Amino acid sequence: MRLRNKPWAKDKIAAYPQHVIPDPEAQRGRWRELFGNDGPIHVEIGTGKGKFLTEMGRLHPDMNFIGIELYPSVLVSALDKLIESGLPNVKLLNANAKDLTAFFAEGEVARIYLNFSDPWPKKRHEKRRLTHRGFLSLYERVLAEDGDIHLKTDNQSFFEYSLVSLSQYGFVLAAVQLDLHRSDVVGNVMTEYEEKFSLKGNRIYRCEAVRPPRRP
């Protein structure tokens, strides 16, 4: 993905600390206090322009949503949507997913969304894939006992790799859709990429994977 640089993005992000949390490490284990309720914490890694996250926040006011996005020039679009919506149950982080365990305590997260993650197709980049076992070990630590991962992609190779990686690590595949938009899944909220790829006729792959039992 080629990004258009927005040199003003960091300043705008810093101007809205109520939406883009500037010190997520300080909230570790205390996110429900920040939201002011006992609702479950759902995290989207690679939230992009924020369409999925804000729509989920609107549809599920009893849940709390946190979007993690590495690139400020992308995150400002999600910030604009959040400012416009005024949703109290959605927060954003301008951060790297590799630091996930610094932001969330053990078992603090109920669900992780991986929507159209970069497939990093070259073998030498395997460790960068968000379903590589290195990332799965982070998810395992922050997910609750019955927590799960919801993944969507249009990349068949990445999807197949993810199914194998999740299974080998110990995650239980609770649902697999090889053509999401022709399946019986209800309430699907589309991302920007999902809309774009669907219009091109691309098949959308989806799975749900439940975390393995906590290890002693």
Side-chain angles (χ1 to χ4, degrees):
M1 178 177 66
R2 188 172 182 177
L3 300 177
R4 182 167 66 89
N5 185 42
K6 300 175 182 177
W8 45 267
K10 289 185 178 180
D11 288 339
K12 180 165 184 176
I13 288 170
Y16 290 91
Q18 71 274 36
H19 296 312
V20 185
I21 306 304
D23 55 346
E25 295 91 346
Q27 300 302 324
R28 187 177 187 271
R30 301 173 54 194
W31 285 101
R32 287 183 177 84
E33 293 179 29
L34 180 68
F35 283 108
N37 61 64
D38 292 326
I41 305 293
H42 289 199
V43 176
E44 183 185 22
I45 297 177
T47 202
K49 296 180 179 179
K51 179 182 183 297
F52 174 84
L53 199 73
T54 51
E55 181 65 9
M56 289 292 286
R58 185 184 68 80
L59 291 172
H60 304 283
D62 57 331
M63 299 179 182
N64 302 307
F65 296 90
I66 300 171
I68 299 176
E69 175 57 50
L70 178 61
Y71 302 105
S73 294
V74 177
L75 188 65
V76 287
S77 295
L79 174 58
D80 285 339
K81 289 183 178 66
L82 186 51
I83 293 171
E84 182 180 358
S85 69
L87 291 167
N89 62 329
V90 178
K91 303 295 180 186
L92 301 170
L93 305 183
N94 183 199
N96 195 316
K98 290 190 293 186
D99 299 320
L100 199 67
T101 55
F103 306 147
F104 301 99
E106 184 175 298
E108 191 172 18
V109 176
R111 178 168 296 160
I112 291 173
Y113 298 100
L114 303 176
N115 291 320
F116 298 87
S117 308
D118 191 328
W120 293 103
K122 295 181 180 179
K123 181 65 176 178
R124 69 175 184 269
H125 294 151
E126 181 183 1
K127 290 184 178 180
R128 299 186 184 184
R129 298 172 192 165
L130 289 180
T131 50
H132 181 267
R133 66 176 293 107
F135 282 103
L136 297 185
S137 68
L138 301 180
Y139 309 154
E140 179 189 15
R141 289 167 64 184
V142 302
L143 281 170
E145 288 289 349
D146 58 348
D148 59 7
I149 296 170
H150 285 197
L151 178 151
K152 289 194 289 186
T153 182
D154 73 316
N155 188 298
Q156 182 178 349
S157 295
F158 175 69
F159 188 67
E160 292 172 351
Y161 169 87
S162 299
L163 293 181
V164 172
S165 183
L166 286 160
S167 297
Q168 289 182 342
Y169 192 87
F171 280 82
V172 177
L173 295 174
V176 176
Q177 287 84 32
L178 301 180
D179 193 347
L180 172 59
H181 295 175
R182 292 177 181 269
S183 73
D184 58 358
V185 172
V186 297
N188 177 56
V189 173
M190 289 202 288
T191 73
E192 289 90 352
Y193 278 129
E194 188 171 353
E195 288 184 342
K196 176 183 176 181
F197 295 146
S198 296
L199 287 173
K200 290 182 177 181
N202 293 19
R203 181 182 295 189
I204 306 302
Y205 303 90
R206 177 182 182 274
C207 74
E208 299 176 14
V210 180
R211 75 172 304 285
R214 198 162 303 280
R215 303 173 188 185

